[in-house]
Amino acid sequence: MHRLLLLSSLWLLAAPPASSIFQRPTGSPAPPHLQYLLEPLHTTVHTQRGATATLPCVLRALPRNYRVKWSKLEPANYRESIIIITNGLYHKNYGPLSPRVRLRHSHRYDASLTITDVALEDEGRYRCQLVNGLEDESVSLTLHLEGVVFPYQPSNGRYKFNYHEAKRACEQQDSRLATYQQLYKAWMEGLDWCNAGWILDGTVHYPIINSREPCGGRLLLPGVRTYGARDKQKDRFDAFCFTSALQGSQVYFIRGHLNFKEAGQACRNHGAAIAKVGQLYSAWKFSQLDRCDGGWLADGSVRYPITTPRERCGGLPDPGVRSFGFPSKELRTYGTYCFVGK
């Protein structure tokens, strides 16, 4: 660890003056509080699950005895988790992201962070901080995955999850608890759901487009309504899960009159696995999967995705993933949806 603090005097002596490198475009002066770090041109980096993404952080000059620290804001526990620390010569990785992160280091002023095989939990806010005694400064960036939010409840009915159970349930369905920003965006895009559910920061909400009596009354305006922070152990609600497309994956339907066990075997016979709820939502959202056929999923539910609403496919006016609930697993009525990963 002591090597992490060593600096190359030759490197520092060779650094040109700040005015001679990385000139900003005319009319775009650096904010006065940033002496060494360049303000990024774009503070949001868009990516896909399974891809490689780089969060930019570039120095205009190399101060003496400096370090650069990358960290991620964790909304579930209101803290920042250190990812990597470097002094330009040496670096050390920390935490669960450690195997999948590296410094891009395309030149000696480049402290940009590269994340490989981007996962759902990688989305969020990151901070690149220059640690330089009394002159610390930082830039914040957001890693954004295009995704879809869906409400989820177990086979035994609504309002059965405490926070930790809701978190596990989403993870078991190839998703994670949604953030407030993700839920709000889903509401703006039309998500209308009367049951309250947990989100990642431990608060509980429900999104309403059409105000109605069973959902707070007709007089309340549409919006994301909130119960605020709740007891993560004792209080019980549904979950709002977030998932995203996975590069190179596919969901497809096998027709048949299968019980649940036979549905799983049918997928395995094709070298696939029975699809999870999050995988079906992802295929509906990003691959425009559209079928009128109910099919088994891994949690024992039966659902079907509709991108073009029509009378004989549920009759509802809006696109969505329809559900038949959790029928008896012995019932031989449905086909199955299968998932093939990359």
Side-chain angles (χ1 to χ4, degrees):
M1 182 64 184
H2 66 281
R3 298 182 65 194
L4 186 63
L5 304 177
L6 295 176
L7 290 170
S8 168
S9 59
L10 291 176
W11 185 9
L12 291 174
L13 289 173
S19 61
S20 68
I21 58 171
F22 303 116
Q23 297 292 333
R24 296 180 61 84
T26 303
S28 302
H33 66 285
L34 290 182
Q35 180 180 356
Y36 291 102
L37 292 178
L38 285 171
E39 188 78 16
L41 292 177
H42 304 284
T43 58
T44 299
V45 174
H46 297 266
T47 189
Q48 289 183 310
R49 188 155 55 132
T52 296
T54 298
L55 298 167
C57 184
V58 178
L59 285 72
R60 64 175 62 248
L62 302 176
R64 295 184 178 277
N65 302 320
Y66 81 97
R67 289 176 294 160
V68 170
K69 179 177 72 174
W70 275 100
S71 57
K72 183 176 187 292
L73 180 65
E74 303 290 357
N77 48 28
Y78 303 100
R79 66 182 179 88
E80 289 191 30
S81 299
I82 297 175
I83 299 170
I84 194 168
I85 297 177
T86 181
N87 65 0
L89 285 179
Y90 307 105
H91 70 272
K92 184 172 178 60
N93 293 17
Y94 297 86
L97 265 174
S98 182
R100 296 189 290 112
V101 295
R102 57 180 170 82
L103 295 169
R104 181 173 64 180
H105 204 59
S106 59
H107 49 77
R108 61 180 177 176
Y109 303 97
D110 184 13
S112 302
L113 182 74
T114 295
I115 305 173
T116 61
D117 195 20
V118 171
L120 289 172
E121 59 268 21
D122 297 341
E123 175 163 289
R125 286 182 55 213
Y126 291 76
R127 189 187 310 279
C128 176
Q129 182 179 15
L130 175 71
V131 182
N132 184 34
L134 298 177
E135 299 177 340
D136 293 359
E137 53 190 67
S138 65
V139 294
S140 294
L141 302 108
T142 298
L143 187 66
H144 176 73
L145 278 72
E146 285 297 326
V148 56
V149 172
F150 61 94
Y152 189 75
Q153 57 184 223
S155 59
N156 56 343
R158 72 171 193 162
Y159 293 177
K160 301 297 183 182
F161 295 135
N162 67 24
Y163 172 81
H164 307 287
E165 292 164 345
K167 185 171 182 291
R168 283 195 299 272
C170 289
E171 291 167 355
Q172 289 167 358
Q173 297 309 315
D174 192 45
S175 59
R176 71 188 300 239
L177 279 175
T179 64
Y180 182 81
Q181 290 78 9
Q182 290 163 348
L183 181 63
Y184 186 86
K185 182 174 183 290
W187 167 73
M188 291 182 67
E189 294 173 351
L191 181 60
D192 182 276
W193 197 254
C194 213
N195 295 341
W198 294 101
I199 64 171
L200 187 60
D201 64 2
T203 58
V204 174
H205 310 266
Y206 63 104
I208 294 296
I209 299 290
N210 301 307
S211 298
R212 50 202 186 272
E213 287 304 328
C215 306
R218 297 180 183 274
L219 297 180
L220 285 179
L221 293 175
V224 178
R225 297 173 182 170
T226 180
Y227 287 9
R230 311 298 290 188
D231 189 307
K232 292 182 178 181
Q233 292 287 354
K234 296 179 180 178
D235 290 327
R236 295 189 173 271
F237 298 94
D238 291 346
F240 286 106
C241 305
F242 170 84
T243 192
S244 180
L246 178 63
Q247 287 186 337
S249 65
Q250 180 187 11
V251 173
Y252 61 92
F253 181 74
I254 294 179
R255 189 182 300 275
H257 298 281
L258 309 170
N259 63 29
F260 177 72
K261 184 177 180 180
E262 292 166 342
Q265 187 59 54
C267 291
R268 290 191 292 274
N269 291 344
H270 286 75
I274 188 168
K276 298 178 179 180
V277 177
Q279 291 162 349
L280 184 65
Y281 267 93
S282 180
W284 163 74
K285 177 75 172 181
F286 298 104
S287 301
Q288 288 73 55
L289 185 62
D290 184 289
R291 290 204 67 103
C292 251
D293 308 278
W296 291 103
L297 296 178
D299 66 340
S301 65
V302 173
R303 306 175 195 247
Y304 62 103
I306 296 295
T307 57
T308 304
R310 46 211 187 269
E311 189 63 35
R312 299 186 64 182
C313 296
L316 297 176
D318 299 315
V321 175
R322 320 282 196 235
S323 175
F324 286 119
F326 295 84
S328 167
K329 291 184 176 181
E330 300 303 317
L331 201 62
R332 282 191 171 92
T333 305
Y334 308 104
T336 184
Y337 288 95
C338 304
F339 173 82
V340 178
K342 61 179 182 177

